[in-house]
Amino acid sequence: MTEEDYLNGQILLIDKPLTWSSFQAVNKLKYALINKLGLPKKFKIGHAGTLDPLATGLLLVCTGKFTKRITELQGQAKEYTGTFFIGATTPSYDLETEVDATFPIEHIDEALIHETVKQFLGEIDQKPPIYSAIKKDGVRLYEHARAGETIEIASRKTTIHEFEITRIALPEIDFRVVCSKGTYIRSLAFDFGYAMQSGSHLTALRRTKIGDYNVNDAIDVTLFEESLES
């Protein structure tokens, strides 16, 4: 594609690597396009939905005039696969922080797991994790958390369209979820463990779809950079 193609607008399907922030991935693309295709330094580029550094998978990156479509793309349903670790919680609800409490799992069997799934289908109330980028009083929640402050977080409505358990090997449970915008899979992990009178945190997460866009059609950031003509 040419410089003009990117300025007129493209939707790039990127497979975000583990440990990269979404911002880092977009920046890498931006500077590759500037340096290899000669795009102006102020050309527009942005992503349609953040992925945490500890998550991998589909990141939709819009360039040029297509940045106007970001809000529309963010509103589409998303599919994730991943792993819950049952019997322990962490403050961040994932592996960003250390285990802070452990819980029994002897009472948990396949029947209880599948019965619990039903509680989370449809519209649910969910509290975002304290380790998240949402702002309260002008400050991001994770900044409050790292400062050791206790913050009351309001719950919000979200919708789980599909929730499938794909592997049970306690203490691990693999899942596939299709959900609405604004759903925190880390919160789902925490709430799922709590609903089984235990604890849980997220140990792996991959975004596989956004609307009709599929991670199978995505390209690694570095491979994209290499594919650009010098």
Side-chain angles (χ1 to χ4, degrees), residues 130-132 134 138-149:
I130 182 67
Y131 281 80
S132 63
I134 294 170
V139 179
R140 297 196 185 277
L141 289 183
Y142 64 74
E143 294 175 11
H144 287 295
R146 288 168 184 164
E149 298 167 3

Side-chain angles (χ1 to χ4, degrees), residues 37-51:
L37 286 188
L39 268 73
K41 289 185 178 179
K42 291 187 176 180
F43 90 97
K44 292 182 179 179
I45 185 168
H47 65 75
T50 303
L51 273 178

Side-chain angles (χ1 to χ4, degrees), residues 25 96 98 126 153 174 204:
E96 184 186 340
E98 298 293 323
Q126 185 183 77
I153 303 171
D174 289 355

Side-chain angles (χ1 to χ4, degrees), residues 16-60:
K16 188 192 80 66
L18 187 66
T19 74
W20 285 45
S21 70
S22 300
F23 179 77
Q24 282 176 304
V26 171
N27 251 14
K28 180 81 167 173
L29 295 171
K30 179 178 181 178
Y31 288 106
L33 289 166
I34 289 170
N35 294 328
K36 295 206 171 188
L37 286 188
L39 268 73
K41 289 185 178 179
K42 291 187 176 180
F43 90 97
K44 292 182 179 179
I45 185 168
H47 65 75
T50 303
L51 273 178
D52 290 336
L54 293 180
T56 65
L58 185 59
L59 192 68
L60 295 183

Side-chain angles (χ1 to χ4, degrees), residues 94-144:
D94 67 2
L95 294 176
E96 184 186 340
T97 53
E98 298 293 323
V99 168
D100 63 351
T102 57
F103 301 84
I105 63 170
E106 293 78 15
H107 64 288
I108 296 174
D109 57 16
E110 290 197 16
L112 176 60
I113 291 167
H114 289 295
E115 194 60 34
T116 303
V117 164
K118 297 175 186 176
Q119 297 179 33
F120 293 91
L121 286 168
E123 187 177 75
I124 62 170
D125 287 310
Q126 185 183 77
K127 281 190 178 183
I130 182 67
Y131 281 80
S132 63
I134 294 170
K135 286 186 177 180
K136 184 177 176 67
D137 302 326
V139 179
R140 297 196 185 277
L141 289 183
Y142 64 74
E143 294 175 11
H144 287 295

Side-chain angles (χ1 to χ4, degrees), residues 8-218:
N8 284 335
Q10 298 294 325
I11 297 175
L12 308 177
L13 277 62
I14 300 299
D15 190 347
K16 188 192 80 66
L18 187 66
T19 74
W20 285 45
S21 70
S22 300
F23 179 77
Q24 282 176 304
V26 171
N27 251 14
K28 180 81 167 173
L29 295 171
K30 179 178 181 178
Y31 288 106
L33 289 166
I34 289 170
N35 294 328
K36 295 206 171 188
L37 286 188
L39 268 73
K41 289 185 178 179
K42 291 187 176 180
F43 90 97
K44 292 182 179 179
I45 185 168
H47 65 75
T50 303
L51 273 178
D52 290 336
L54 293 180
T56 65
L58 185 59
L59 192 68
L60 295 183
V61 178
C62 299
T63 73
K65 294 176 182 176
F66 277 20
T67 52
K68 293 177 181 177
R69 295 186 58 188
I70 284 176
T71 302
E72 164 211 335
L73 294 168
Q74 283 177 332
Q76 297 188 6
K78 298 170 179 66
E79 180 186 80
Y80 297 90
T81 60
T83 303
F84 298 151
F85 186 96
I86 309 299
T89 56
T90 72
S92 60
Y93 301 170
D94 67 2
L95 294 176
E96 184 186 340
T97 53
E98 298 293 323
V99 168
D100 63 351
T102 57
F103 301 84
I105 63 170
E106 293 78 15
H107 64 288
I108 296 174
D109 57 16
E110 290 197 16
L112 176 60
I113 291 167
H114 289 295
E115 194 60 34
T116 303
V117 164
K118 297 175 186 176
Q119 297 179 33
F120 293 91
L121 286 168
E123 187 177 75
I124 62 170
D125 287 310
Q126 185 183 77
K127 281 190 178 183
I130 182 67
Y131 281 80
S132 63
I134 294 170
K135 286 186 177 180
K136 184 177 176 67
D137 302 326
V139 179
R140 297 196 185 277
L141 289 183
Y142 64 74
E143 294 175 11
H144 287 295
R146 288 168 184 164
E149 298 167 3
T150 302
I151 295 293
E152 183 59 36
I153 303 171
S155 63
R156 50 173 65 183
K157 299 286 185 186
T158 187
T159 303
I160 306 295
H161 302 292
E162 299 176 36
F163 187 2
E164 176 189 5
I165 302 299
T166 56
R167 181 182 70 104
I168 299 172
L170 290 172
E172 292 186 343
I173 297 174
D174 289 355
F175 64 88
R176 183 186 68 85
V177 164
V178 179
C179 56
S180 66
K181 174 189 175 182
T183 303
Y184 278 90
I185 306 298
R186 286 183 287 147
S187 293
L188 181 63
F190 180 88
D191 294 341
F192 191 78
Y194 184 82
M196 294 193 297
Q197 296 184 308
S198 184
S200 174
H201 62 282
L202 190 66
T203 56
L205 185 66
R206 182 163 175 77
R207 185 157 66 196
T208 46
K209 292 180 184 177
I210 300 175
D212 292 329
Y213 298 99
N214 195 309
V215 74
N216 293 337
D217 301 316

